[in-house]
Amino acid sequence: MGKSEKEIKNIFRQAGAAMEIDKGRKGRAVTFLKQAAKEKEISLVYSRKEILKNQLGYMDKTMWILQVALYFLAALLVARLYALGTEREGVLAVVAMMAGAVGIVSMMGICHAFYSDMAELSGSCYFNVSQMTMFQLVYYGTLNLGGMFAGIFFLGFGWQIPFVQISLYVLVPFLFTQCCALGAALTKAGRKSPGLACLVGAFAAISCGAAASFPAVYRTSALAFWEIAFGVEVAAFGWQIKRLFHMLGEGEILCMN
């Protein structure tokens, strides 16, 4: 500490010691502050239910509508294939690509607010990005599980495919597409351009559909391969979600906070 700094501190110390505190005025000031605090109107603190309601009110519903429309289209398409007596390999190719398309839309809905052109608008109200992301995950997860398991039961009965197998045939392409799309969205290039995540996801979905051209892949002997793929994808997707929330918490993704 330099000499000049010490001298300045001493001057302030001496000036403070020389000042006499008027205890009467001090008491009146404290009383006034306490009274003002009591009379001050308490600002409204929103409950979790109200916060969720406000978030839902300002969230973009386009992806929600598109997701429901995709499931409706998939149901019509599979019903039509069943009526036409389409072979098992053909319907599996269609189902794999539809599952991939659903995966792309789900991920675009979750990551919609991360893109630079929506960041300011999404942050215009009292949002918490982690809360909203979690809600999106729960919403899309519930919708996807309901829609896919309905399709799995229909496919299992219609084409006489064991439910474990058909579940893997549907869920593996879905998770693979989501992992690819989310992996792209977690990169800087992916957040700047939503088209990149869509392109990567579309390529993944088409690749899953192309697997139907290899009948050996869908035989019972290949079931172990599907099970391993499913386990790897679940682990990878879980890590990506963890990474996503870490990036949000660290401020690497700047959007609604």
Side-chain angles (χ1 to χ4, degrees):
M1 186 180 293
K3 185 178 179 182
S4 58
E5 226 177 309
K6 283 185 179 180
E7 290 175 350
I8 293 171
K9 283 195 171 186
N10 286 332
I11 292 170
F12 275 102
R13 192 177 295 111
Q14 291 169 8
M19 291 176 63
E20 293 184 6
I21 298 174
D22 189 331
K23 293 183 179 181
R25 291 184 64 184
K26 178 181 177 181
R28 288 193 296 272
V30 171
T31 303
F32 173 78
L33 290 173
K34 287 181 179 179
Q35 186 63 30
K38 287 181 181 179
E39 295 174 358
K40 183 175 175 60
E41 182 181 352
I42 304 300
S43 59
L44 179 62
V45 177
Y46 287 94
S47 65
R48 291 182 180 180
K49 182 179 179 180
E50 289 169 326
I51 291 172
L52 180 60
K53 181 181 177 182
N54 285 317
Q55 287 179 338
L56 289 173
Y58 286 95
M59 286 168 65
D60 183 71
K61 310 299 189 303
T62 305
M63 292 298 175
W64 297 11
I65 297 169
L66 183 57
Q67 187 87 341
V68 174
L70 268 176
Y71 274 113
F72 184 71
L73 177 63
L76 290 177
L77 187 56
V78 172
R80 180 61 178 168
L81 292 173
Y82 181 75
L84 293 173
T86 307
E87 294 295 326
R88 170 175 153 168
E89 286 74 17
V91 75
L92 288 176
V94 171
V95 167
M97 286 190 284
M98 289 300 296
V102 168
I104 296 171
V105 175
S106 297
M107 199 46 57
M108 292 301 99
I110 293 168
C111 298
H112 180 65
F114 301 160
Y115 303 128
S116 57
D117 57 336
M118 287 299 298
E120 297 303 325
L121 291 177
S122 298
S124 59
C125 298
Y126 31 86
F127 287 118
N128 181 294
V129 66
S130 297
Q131 285 180 0
M132 183 169 288
T133 302
M134 181 59 71
F135 173 79
Q136 294 272 36
L137 287 168
V138 172
Y139 167 79
Y140 283 109
T142 303
L143 179 62
N144 289 328
L145 284 175
M148 287 190 177
F149 278 110
I152 285 168
F153 277 103
F154 181 80
L155 292 167
F157 284 117
W159 277 268
Q160 298 300 308
I161 306 172
F163 288 109
V164 172
Q165 282 185 261
I166 193 61
S167 297
L168 291 172
Y169 296 159
V170 172
L171 294 175
V172 168
F174 171 74
L175 279 174
F176 179 65
T177 306
Q178 285 218 312
C179 285
C180 292
L182 181 55
L186 288 176
T187 64
K188 281 187 178 181
R191 291 194 297 276
K192 288 181 179 178
S193 174
L196 178 61
C198 285
L199 186 63
V200 171
F203 179 77
I206 294 170
S207 300
C208 291
S213 60
F214 301 95
V217 175
Y218 290 101
R219 289 176 185 161
T220 307
S221 58
L223 195 58
F225 163 79
W226 288 90
E227 290 171 346
I228 293 170
F230 180 72
V232 171
E233 288 171 359
V234 169
F237 191 63
W239 179 86
Q240 286 179 322
I241 294 297
K242 182 179 178 181
R243 176 63 182 160
L244 171 63
F245 280 100
H246 174 76
M247 293 174 72
L248 291 173
E250 294 295 317
E252 294 179 51
I253 297 177
L254 298 176
C255 45
M256 292 181 288
N257 271 353

